[in-house]
Amino acid sequence: MQWQRSVPRALAAAVVPTVLLASSLTSGSARASTPPKAQGAVFVLDSAHGSFTRGRQALGGPDTGIRPLATYIGKATDTQVLAAGRQKVIADITLASSPAENERAAWAASSRFVDLSWPDLGAGRYTVYRDGVRIASTTGHSVRDTGVSPGSTVNYQIAGEAGGLGHTWGLTAAVPTADDTAALTETARRVEAQARRYTKTAVVWRSFIRQKWASVPQQLGSVSGCKYTRGFQYKGDNRGFSNKVTGPSFRAGLRGVVYWTKSSYDLFPETGVTRVYRNGVEVDRRKASTSGIDFRTRTRFDGKTRAVHGEIEATDPFCPSGGIRRAGIGVFYDARLARNGDFYVSGKYRQAPDHEMYLYGYTSGSRHSTKTVHQSKMRSLMCLSQPACELGTIGNSGGY
């Protein structure tokens, strides 16, 4: 593998109106317990400049700052070997090189710990997850994880809410087998080789109705403005969250694909068929338009990272298409995707019905890795019209 080396140096229509959800659901997570107190990181990214500076305290002595010993510029990733005092680490700086400061984040790993750092966007608290389990909560913008094993690969996500948006960073850290220069260099080669295997990344958002059947609440039927209200039932998707690439039923979905070996990208918008029943007999069916579902890239192709934007905006096929009685689901997100699997996502969504967002990293054919960015259940029946609907923040209202 050839490196350049220097020494030193990121709204869809519901096809069933929100008034049809007769019961309010509450989001749940296995990580509701209080996480342990965060440990201080040493190798901390200066997000303003996209580089590592001094941390709180260097290992084995006073803070002497961070020194870059080697920089490896690959075709798929960028990494550095860093030193603070006697401690050496391997750090991935691919996402740290993003042009927008809010997207920047990085990991730095020794054989005994991983230091994570991200920009401080003003959130009151950031929550850190390791392989889907909450491990820390902090008011700062860095944390050290000592629960790692030499030679392992660990997936992290950091979530916080600031400026009216949810912010989520995803980092995949490669823990070296040892802390000598040879082991750290070999880890850098492993990170680059793994990233090169990925040929494309698919961003998938799906909005679905968890119930098998959904009915209009009696008190809302006359004010919804929808064609079918009292006495009618709408068929739901009858499922929970699913990270399958294809198969799970949904009301509206968006799949955008970014390629890592060419500059083109693809958009696949889709809505499900709305089926209306009365006394067990189907009386009507209609499919919502996909004209308001969009996905596009916002930066030029470089084979390493790409900024994308997605939005889902449409109305229910049996309900008013505008005004305060408009029914439907709205979503927008901005993301920075990295070929190595790292990412940043921010955005909002209307809190009905259920929602899920996944990233699929493809290596060849149908082989892929899966990362869960967002999952949320509907919280209330206030999403009867656009003005009355409380918005949720992506990455901060559900499980991973």
Side-chain angles (χ1 to χ4, degrees), residues 364-393:
S364 63
S366 60
R367 298 189 63 179
H368 65 274
S369 62
T370 303
K371 293 190 175 182
T372 304
V373 179
H374 177 82
Q375 292 176 336
S376 61
K377 296 180 181 179
M378 193 194 75
R379 287 175 176 262
S380 72
L381 291 174
M382 293 302 293
C383 288
L384 306 180
S385 63
Q386 186 69 22
C389 182
E390 180 183 357
L391 299 180
T393 56

Side-chain angles (χ1 to χ4, degrees), residues 198-343:
Y198 290 103
T199 59
K200 64 181 179 180
T201 297
V203 187
V204 174
W205 181 283
R206 293 187 290 244
S207 300
F208 62 97
I209 293 180
R210 179 174 296 265
Q211 300 96 323
K212 184 176 182 179
W213 299 98
S215 302
V216 179
Q218 186 174 4
Q219 67 272 26
L220 298 175
S222 61
V223 298
S224 70
C226 298
K227 181 178 180 180
Y228 300 104
T229 56
R230 291 185 182 138
F232 294 92
Q233 284 188 311
Y234 291 73
K235 194 170 185 179
D237 297 292
N238 191 32
R239 72 171 180 89
F241 298 123
S242 173
N243 63 10
K244 292 182 179 179
V245 177
T246 59
S249 172
F250 55 88
R251 302 296 85 213
L254 167 60
R255 180 164 63 97
V257 181
V258 168
Y259 298 91
W260 298 115
T261 57
K262 57 184 179 180
S263 61
S264 60
Y265 66 92
D266 287 324
L267 160 66
F268 301 94
E270 189 174 358
T271 55
V273 177
T274 299
R275 292 180 169 87
V276 186
Y277 289 76
R278 188 163 193 171
N279 298 324
V281 178
E282 183 177 306
V283 297
D284 207 346
R285 64 169 62 188
R286 194 177 296 176
K287 201 168 187 178
S289 170
T290 62
S291 61
I293 304 178
D294 190 29
F295 176 87
R296 62 188 63 187
T297 60
R298 288 190 161 177
T299 55
R300 298 181 66 179
F301 170 78
D302 68 2
K304 293 182 183 179
T305 72
R306 201 127 194 224
V308 301
H309 173 79
E311 58 185 56
I312 310 173
E313 172 66 48
T315 55
D316 180 273
F318 295 118
C319 296
S321 60
I324 63 172
R325 295 192 298 180
R326 174 194 178 278
I329 298 173
V331 178
F332 76 87
Y333 64 78
D334 290 290
R336 168 72 64 169
L337 309 175
R339 187 173 181 176
N340 62 9
D342 294 351
F343 66 88

Side-chain angles (χ1 to χ4, degrees), residues 172-204:
T172 300
V175 181
T177 56
D179 298 345
D180 57 86
T181 301
L184 298 178
T185 300
E186 179 55 36
T187 303
R189 294 182 183 276
R190 174 160 60 99
V191 170
E192 170 72 7
Q194 177 64 28
R196 284 199 188 189
R197 295 179 59 213
Y198 290 103
T199 59
K200 64 181 179 180
T201 297
V203 187
V204 174

